[in-house]
Short mmCIF file of all heavy atoms in Angstrom, two decimals:
data_model
loop_
_atom_site.label_atom_id
_atom_site.label_comp_id
_atom_site.label_asym_id
_atom_site.label_seq_id
_atom_site.Cartn_x
_atom_site.Cartn_y
_atom_site.Cartn_z
N LEU A 15 -147.83 63.84 -120.37
CA LEU A 15 -148.26 64.63 -119.22
C LEU A 15 -148.77 65.99 -119.65
O LEU A 15 -148.37 66.53 -120.69
CB LEU A 15 -147.11 64.80 -118.24
CG LEU A 15 -146.59 63.54 -117.54
CD1 LEU A 15 -145.36 63.86 -116.72
CD2 LEU A 15 -147.68 62.91 -116.68
N GLU A 16 -149.63 66.56 -118.85
CA GLU A 16 -150.17 67.89 -119.12
C GLU A 16 -149.07 68.94 -119.14
O GLU A 16 -149.12 69.90 -119.92
CB GLU A 16 -151.24 68.22 -118.07
CG GLU A 16 -152.03 69.49 -118.33
CD GLU A 16 -153.08 69.34 -119.42
OE1 GLU A 16 -152.93 68.48 -120.32
OE2 GLU A 16 -154.05 70.12 -119.40
N ILE A 17 -148.06 68.74 -118.31
CA ILE A 17 -146.92 69.67 -118.30
C ILE A 17 -146.25 69.71 -119.67
O ILE A 17 -145.86 70.78 -120.17
CB ILE A 17 -145.92 69.29 -117.20
CG1 ILE A 17 -146.47 69.68 -115.83
CG2 ILE A 17 -144.56 69.93 -117.43
CD1 ILE A 17 -145.62 69.20 -114.66
N ALA A 18 -146.10 68.54 -120.31
CA ALA A 18 -145.46 68.49 -121.62
C ALA A 18 -146.26 69.27 -122.65
O ALA A 18 -145.70 69.96 -123.50
CB ALA A 18 -145.30 67.03 -122.06
N GLY A 19 -147.58 69.18 -122.57
CA GLY A 19 -148.41 69.96 -123.49
C GLY A 19 -148.25 71.45 -123.29
O GLY A 19 -148.17 72.22 -124.26
N ALA A 20 -148.19 71.87 -122.04
CA ALA A 20 -148.04 73.30 -121.74
C ALA A 20 -146.68 73.82 -122.22
O ALA A 20 -146.59 74.91 -122.80
CB ALA A 20 -148.20 73.53 -120.24
N ILE A 21 -145.63 73.03 -121.99
CA ILE A 21 -144.30 73.43 -122.47
C ILE A 21 -144.29 73.48 -123.99
O ILE A 21 -143.72 74.39 -124.60
CB ILE A 21 -143.23 72.46 -121.94
CG1 ILE A 21 -143.12 72.53 -120.42
CG2 ILE A 21 -141.87 72.76 -122.58
CD1 ILE A 21 -142.29 71.42 -119.81
N GLY A 22 -144.93 72.50 -124.62
CA GLY A 22 -144.98 72.45 -126.07
C GLY A 22 -145.61 73.69 -126.68
O GLY A 22 -145.16 74.18 -127.72
N ARG A 23 -146.63 74.21 -126.04
CA ARG A 23 -147.28 75.42 -126.55
C ARG A 23 -146.30 76.59 -126.57
O ARG A 23 -146.28 77.38 -127.53
CB ARG A 23 -148.50 75.76 -125.70
CG ARG A 23 -149.60 74.73 -125.75
CD ARG A 23 -150.71 75.05 -124.79
NE ARG A 23 -151.46 76.24 -125.20
CZ ARG A 23 -152.42 76.80 -124.48
NH1 ARG A 23 -152.74 76.30 -123.28
NH2 ARG A 23 -153.06 77.86 -124.94
N GLU A 24 -145.50 76.71 -125.52
CA GLU A 24 -144.51 77.80 -125.47
C GLU A 24 -143.38 77.58 -126.49
O GLU A 24 -142.94 78.51 -127.15
CB GLU A 24 -143.93 77.91 -124.06
CG GLU A 24 -144.96 78.25 -122.99
CD GLU A 24 -145.71 79.54 -123.26
OE1 GLU A 24 -145.11 80.47 -123.86
OE2 GLU A 24 -146.90 79.62 -122.89
N GLN A 25 -142.93 76.32 -126.60
CA GLN A 25 -141.86 76.02 -127.54
C GLN A 25 -142.30 76.26 -128.99
O GLN A 25 -141.52 76.75 -129.81
CB GLN A 25 -141.43 74.56 -127.36
CG GLN A 25 -140.58 74.32 -126.13
CD GLN A 25 -139.12 74.63 -126.39
OE1 GLN A 25 -138.40 73.86 -127.02
NE2 GLN A 25 -138.67 75.80 -125.92
N LEU A 26 -143.54 75.92 -129.29
CA LEU A 26 -144.03 76.09 -130.66
C LEU A 26 -144.02 77.55 -131.08
O LEU A 26 -143.78 77.88 -132.25
CB LEU A 26 -145.43 75.49 -130.78
CG LEU A 26 -145.97 75.31 -132.19
CD1 LEU A 26 -145.10 74.35 -133.00
CD2 LEU A 26 -147.41 74.80 -132.15
N ARG A 27 -144.28 78.45 -130.13
CA ARG A 27 -144.24 79.88 -130.44
C ARG A 27 -142.84 80.32 -130.84
O ARG A 27 -142.66 81.27 -131.59
CB ARG A 27 -144.74 80.69 -129.24
CG ARG A 27 -146.21 80.49 -128.91
CD ARG A 27 -146.66 81.39 -127.77
NE ARG A 27 -148.07 81.21 -127.48
CZ ARG A 27 -148.56 80.51 -126.45
NH1 ARG A 27 -147.73 79.92 -125.60
NH2 ARG A 27 -149.86 80.37 -126.27
N LYS A 28 -141.83 79.63 -130.34
CA LYS A 28 -140.44 79.98 -130.63
C LYS A 28 -139.92 79.31 -131.90
O LYS A 28 -138.85 79.68 -132.40
CB LYS A 28 -139.54 79.55 -129.47
CG LYS A 28 -139.82 80.25 -128.15
CD LYS A 28 -138.89 79.69 -127.07
CE LYS A 28 -139.14 80.36 -125.73
NZ LYS A 28 -138.29 79.78 -124.66
N LEU A 29 -140.66 78.33 -132.41
CA LEU A 29 -140.13 77.49 -133.48
C LEU A 29 -139.70 78.28 -134.72
O LEU A 29 -138.62 77.99 -135.26
CB LEU A 29 -141.14 76.40 -133.85
CG LEU A 29 -140.70 75.43 -134.93
CD1 LEU A 29 -139.41 74.70 -134.53
CD2 LEU A 29 -141.80 74.42 -135.24
N PRO A 30 -140.46 79.23 -135.24
CA PRO A 30 -139.98 79.94 -136.43
C PRO A 30 -138.62 80.59 -136.23
O PRO A 30 -137.76 80.52 -137.12
CB PRO A 30 -141.08 80.99 -136.67
CG PRO A 30 -142.32 80.37 -136.09
CD PRO A 30 -141.84 79.65 -134.87
N ALA A 31 -138.40 81.20 -135.06
CA ALA A 31 -137.10 81.81 -134.79
C ALA A 31 -136.01 80.75 -134.65
O ALA A 31 -134.86 80.95 -135.08
CB ALA A 31 -137.17 82.66 -133.52
N ILE A 32 -136.35 79.62 -134.05
CA ILE A 32 -135.39 78.52 -133.90
C ILE A 32 -134.94 78.01 -135.26
O ILE A 32 -133.74 77.81 -135.50
CB ILE A 32 -136.01 77.39 -133.06
CG1 ILE A 32 -136.13 77.81 -131.59
CG2 ILE A 32 -135.20 76.10 -133.18
CD1 ILE A 32 -136.92 76.84 -130.72
N ILE A 33 -135.88 77.83 -136.17
CA ILE A 33 -135.54 77.33 -137.51
C ILE A 33 -134.70 78.35 -138.26
O ILE A 33 -133.72 78.00 -138.94
CB ILE A 33 -136.81 76.96 -138.30
CG1 ILE A 33 -137.59 75.86 -137.58
CG2 ILE A 33 -136.44 76.53 -139.71
CD1 ILE A 33 -136.83 74.58 -137.37
N ARG A 34 -135.06 79.63 -138.16
CA ARG A 34 -134.25 80.67 -138.83
C ARG A 34 -132.82 80.64 -138.33
O ARG A 34 -131.87 80.74 -139.13
CB ARG A 34 -134.87 82.06 -138.59
CG ARG A 34 -136.12 82.32 -139.42
CD ARG A 34 -136.46 83.81 -139.41
NE ARG A 34 -136.73 84.31 -138.06
CZ ARG A 34 -137.93 84.31 -137.48
NH1 ARG A 34 -138.98 83.81 -138.12
NH2 ARG A 34 -138.09 84.80 -136.26
N ALA A 35 -132.63 80.52 -137.02
CA ALA A 35 -131.28 80.51 -136.46
C ALA A 35 -130.50 79.28 -136.92
O ALA A 35 -129.30 79.37 -137.25
CB ALA A 35 -131.36 80.55 -134.93
N ARG A 36 -131.15 78.14 -136.95
CA ARG A 36 -130.47 76.92 -137.38
C ARG A 36 -130.05 77.02 -138.85
O ARG A 36 -128.96 76.55 -139.23
CB ARG A 36 -131.37 75.71 -137.15
CG ARG A 36 -131.46 75.28 -135.68
CD ARG A 36 -132.48 74.18 -135.47
NE ARG A 36 -132.40 73.64 -134.13
CZ ARG A 36 -131.69 72.59 -133.75
NH1 ARG A 36 -130.95 71.96 -134.67
NH2 ARG A 36 -131.67 72.16 -132.50
N ARG A 37 -130.89 77.61 -139.67
CA ARG A 37 -130.53 77.76 -141.08
C ARG A 37 -129.41 78.78 -141.27
O ARG A 37 -128.55 78.62 -142.14
CB ARG A 37 -131.77 78.14 -141.89
CG ARG A 37 -132.73 76.97 -142.05
CD ARG A 37 -134.02 77.34 -142.75
NE ARG A 37 -134.85 76.14 -142.98
CZ ARG A 37 -136.16 76.15 -143.12
NH1 ARG A 37 -136.82 77.31 -143.10
NH2 ARG A 37 -136.81 75.03 -143.31
N ALA A 38 -129.42 79.81 -140.45
CA ALA A 38 -128.32 80.78 -140.52
C ALA A 38 -127.00 80.12 -140.12
O ALA A 38 -125.96 80.36 -140.75
CB ALA A 38 -128.62 81.97 -139.61
N ASN A 39 -127.04 79.29 -139.10
CA ASN A 39 -125.83 78.56 -138.70
C ASN A 39 -125.37 77.61 -139.81
O ASN A 39 -124.16 77.44 -140.02
CB ASN A 39 -126.10 77.75 -137.43
CG ASN A 39 -126.30 78.63 -136.21
OD1 ASN A 39 -125.81 79.77 -136.17
ND2 ASN A 39 -127.00 78.13 -135.22
N ALA A 40 -126.33 77.01 -140.50
CA ALA A 40 -125.98 76.09 -141.59
C ALA A 40 -125.25 76.82 -142.72
O ALA A 40 -124.35 76.24 -143.35
CB ALA A 40 -127.23 75.41 -142.12
N ARG A 41 -125.64 78.05 -142.98
CA ARG A 41 -124.95 78.81 -144.04
C ARG A 41 -123.48 79.01 -143.67
O ARG A 41 -122.59 78.87 -144.53
CB ARG A 41 -125.64 80.16 -144.26
CG ARG A 41 -126.98 80.03 -144.99
CD ARG A 41 -127.50 81.38 -145.43
NE ARG A 41 -127.97 82.19 -144.32
CZ ARG A 41 -129.20 82.15 -143.83
NH1 ARG A 41 -130.10 81.32 -144.35
NH2 ARG A 41 -129.57 82.93 -142.83
N ILE A 42 -123.22 79.32 -142.41
CA ILE A 42 -121.83 79.50 -141.97
C ILE A 42 -121.09 78.16 -142.02
O ILE A 42 -119.93 78.09 -142.45
CB ILE A 42 -121.78 80.09 -140.55
CG1 ILE A 42 -122.52 81.43 -140.51
CG2 ILE A 42 -120.34 80.26 -140.09
CD1 ILE A 42 -122.68 81.99 -139.11
N PHE A 43 -121.75 77.09 -141.57
CA PHE A 43 -121.15 75.76 -141.59
C PHE A 43 -120.72 75.38 -143.00
O PHE A 43 -119.61 74.87 -143.21
CB PHE A 43 -122.16 74.75 -141.02
CG PHE A 43 -121.76 73.31 -141.18
CD1 PHE A 43 -120.72 72.78 -140.43
CD2 PHE A 43 -122.42 72.49 -142.08
CE1 PHE A 43 -120.34 71.45 -140.57
CE2 PHE A 43 -122.06 71.16 -142.23
CZ PHE A 43 -121.02 70.64 -141.47
N ARG A 44 -121.59 75.62 -143.97
CA ARG A 44 -121.24 75.26 -145.34
C ARG A 44 -120.07 76.08 -145.86
O ARG A 44 -119.23 75.58 -146.62
CB ARG A 44 -122.46 75.40 -146.25
CG ARG A 44 -123.48 74.29 -146.03
CD ARG A 44 -124.67 74.38 -146.95
NE ARG A 44 -125.53 75.51 -146.62
CZ ARG A 44 -126.75 75.68 -147.13
NH1 ARG A 44 -127.24 74.81 -148.00
NH2 ARG A 44 -127.47 76.72 -146.77
N GLU A 45 -120.00 77.33 -145.47
CA GLU A 45 -118.86 78.17 -145.86
C GLU A 45 -117.56 77.62 -145.28
O GLU A 45 -116.54 77.55 -145.97
CB GLU A 45 -119.08 79.60 -145.39
CG GLU A 45 -120.19 80.34 -146.14
CD GLU A 45 -120.52 81.69 -145.52
OE1 GLU A 45 -119.83 82.07 -144.54
OE2 GLU A 45 -121.45 82.36 -145.99
#
């Protein structure tokens, strides 16, 4: 759907921050 494409554009802008946060959580998890 066109709505999914529009949401995807907004989500993609957030992706670098999302990945950074997930990797930061992984560091704590491993500790």
